[in-house]
Amino acid sequence: MRSKPWEENKGNNKKKTHYALFSCNEWKECNSMRLLGITDDPETLYVMIGSCIRADDMLYKHDDAKESWRQFQEDYHYKGVNLSLLKYGYVEEYEEYDVSSKAFSVDFPKAASTWRALGGKAG
C-alpha cells in the first residue's frame, strides 16, 4: 500500500477497507503470524505500525530501529508508506462484504438462500 489511503478514497463510494496488522518472522511465513490489531482507519493502522517500530518489534526499510522509525516518519509525511517494506510485520487488507453483492455470492455461493433461511431478504 503506497500513499495515504484515506486521501485516495475521498469522494468514493467504495466498500470500506479493513486492515489486519500481524507480527511475523522476517520471511512473513504464515505459521509465524500473530494478529496484533484490526482497524478500518488508515491513521490508526499507521499509529499501530509506528508504535511497533518504536518498541523495536518491527523494522521499516532499515535494520536499525532508530533509522526505521525515521524512515517511517519521513515516508508517512512525504512519500507514502510502502507496507511491503515492513520487516517482522505484515498488513492484510480486506474489503467489506455486502451480502447482496455479486462478489459475495462468488465467494459464498449459498449466501442468498442462507440469508433468506435466516430471515433476510437477499436477492
Side-chain angles (χ1 to χ4, degrees):
M1 175 172 56
R2 290 193 171 274
S3 76
K4 296 178 182 171
W6 61 91
E7 290 176 354
E8 293 173 2
N9 293 333
K10 280 184 181 172
N12 278 340
N13 289 330
K14 289 181 81 175
K15 297 279 184 223
K16 187 181 282 188
T17 301
H18 299 271
Y19 307 95
L21 176 63
F22 297 88
S23 65
C24 60
N25 65 17
E26 184 176 358
W27 304 276
K28 300 182 185 333
E29 294 174 310
C30 290
N31 63 351
S32 74
M33 302 260 175
R34 185 173 64 89
L35 181 64
L36 298 177
I38 298 173
T39 184
D40 62 0
D41 177 30
E43 194 74 22
T44 301
L45 172 67
Y46 291 132
V47 170
M48 291 189 307
I49 292 168
S51 178
C52 290
I53 293 169
R54 293 183 74 203
D56 203 17
D57 294 330
M58 285 182 196
L59 297 171
Y60 180 77
K61 275 188 165 178
H62 205 277
D63 287 334
D64 176 73
K66 287 182 181 179
E67 184 60 21
S68 287
W69 172 238
R70 191 191 70 69
Q71 289 285 322
F72 183 77
Q73 285 180 295
E74 183 178 305
D75 283 3
Y76 176 81
H77 288 294
Y78 303 110
K79 299 176 186 174
V81 174
N82 182 346
L83 295 175
S84 67
L85 298 175
L86 275 176
K87 195 173 195 181
Y88 308 112
Y90 176 74
V91 175
E92 186 75 37
E93 295 181 26
Y94 297 93
E95 289 286 318
E96 188 172 274
Y97 273 121
D98 179 336
V99 174
S100 61
S101 73
K102 289 186 189 271
F104 188 75
S105 64
V106 168
D107 289 341
F108 300 94
K110 298 285 186 182
S113 62
T114 301
W115 195 27
R116 281 193 301 276
L118 292 172
K121 297 179 176 142

